Amino acid sequence: MTARNGLTPSQMEKGIATVMSGIEFNRALEKFNALRINIENNIDAIHEIHQDSLDILNAEESAANSTKLRELTAQTTFMLEQCKSNLKDLHRNVLESDDVELRRRRCASAKAQLENTLRRYRETEQIGQENYKNMLRRHYAMVNPEATDNEVEEYIQRDPSGQVFANAILRKNEANQTLQLVKDRHQDIIEITRMINELDSLFRQVHDMVEEQQETIQQVEEKIMITNDHLNDANGELEKSKELISSNRSTYRIMALVALLIVIALAVVIYFTLRKK
């Protein structure tokens, strides 16, 4: 059933303006893949920034590197949201198309690729986070060689640029820029932690979206199978009816032939009986 605006009730319920044609679906998939590749390139760039941060000894360079990292992270987050939205649009078009199975396979492949990208991004951030923590551990060990492991971890969890650490640096006659480097790396750790949490949330959203779509597809397939079974049963009954009708027609023909033969026989008998008289 189609509404006045040309949409089926199912399309209106799912918020689909129009069903993508095969060409439009392919273009949307190409757009999704291009965007995902750009995200992969950004992940490579973020990894390089993490590595560069470990070798920076200048406060100005450290601040510039942190700013660059935050800008690139924000851009990548925006692109990931776009990628998720594009994937959602692709999945919305699966059930409303004539080539459900083909589109479902291609969407499943796109979903797997996006999940791999999210995993890779998370691993990159985790490696960067751990490297920054190791840097802070080394700095603290230099100013407080007798610190226990618990004290070092407690130092990393709280603001490592506090007064205790600052006084220790001054006692060691270290430059103030060392304190700035520590502040920048600690802020980077905070940003990475936030990013990892966002990636976990995004991964769950993508997974749940596809799982919900898969359940819907399975329900449709089950209904199609039931309908096919009913059609097969109906076709079977129809064939039986045709056979019965055909059999009845043959019976009628035989009976008509027998009746005709009887009539002819009677006519012959009557003819010869009358002739003898």
Side-chain angles (χ1 to χ4, degrees), residues 101-249:
E101 186 59 30
L102 175 61
R103 293 194 182 191
R104 183 177 67 168
R105 289 198 302 267
R106 300 189 70 181
C107 282
S109 176
K111 172 248 185 183
Q113 290 174 340
L114 180 57
E115 287 183 334
N116 288 336
T117 298
L118 288 170
R119 290 191 190 95
R120 179 168 175 259
Y121 190 9
R122 193 182 193 282
E123 291 172 0
T124 298
E125 292 289 54
Q126 284 181 316
I127 293 172
Q129 184 185 57
E130 189 59 31
N131 288 338
Y132 291 157
K133 286 183 178 181
N134 288 334
M135 173 187 285
L136 296 182
R137 290 186 182 99
R138 290 194 297 271
H139 278 292
Y140 193 73
M142 286 188 295
V143 300
N144 192 358
E146 298 178 358
T148 64
D149 292 340
N150 290 336
E151 289 174 339
V152 173
E153 294 305 316
E154 182 182 355
Y155 153 77
I156 294 174
Q157 295 302 323
R158 67 173 188 266
D159 184 2
S161 59
Q163 191 62 41
V164 174
F165 186 75
N167 291 338
I169 288 180
L170 293 176
R171 288 197 301 271
K172 291 286 184 178
N173 295 321
E174 297 287 344
N176 288 334
Q177 67 178 3
T178 301
L179 184 60
Q180 185 59 47
L181 293 176
V182 171
K183 289 181 178 180
D184 291 341
R185 296 298 78 76
H186 182 257
Q187 186 59 39
D188 289 341
I189 290 174
I190 294 175
E191 292 296 325
I192 290 175
T193 302
R194 179 187 60 79
M195 188 67 245
I196 290 176
N197 291 334
E198 289 185 5
L199 289 172
D200 289 341
S201 175
L202 185 57
F203 187 92
R204 287 192 298 270
Q205 291 174 31
V206 172
H207 180 76
D208 293 343
M209 175 185 66
V210 175
E211 286 298 314
E212 180 180 354
Q213 182 72 29
Q214 183 63 27
E215 290 178 3
T216 304
I217 292 175
Q218 289 176 351
Q219 292 173 1
V220 171
E221 288 180 339
E222 290 174 359
K223 291 180 180 179
I224 291 175
M225 291 177 63
I226 293 174
T227 301
N228 287 336
D229 290 341
H230 289 166
L231 288 175
N232 290 333
D233 292 341
N235 289 333
E237 293 297 327
L238 183 60
E239 289 298 325
K240 290 180 181 179
S241 299
K242 288 180 179 180
E243 292 176 1
L244 181 60
I245 292 172
S246 178
S247 176
N248 289 339
R249 285 177 179 173

Side-chain angles (χ1 to χ4, degrees), residues 257-269:
L257 180 59
V258 170
L260 180 60
L261 292 174
I262 292 174
V263 171
I264 294 172
L266 288 173
V268 171
V269 171

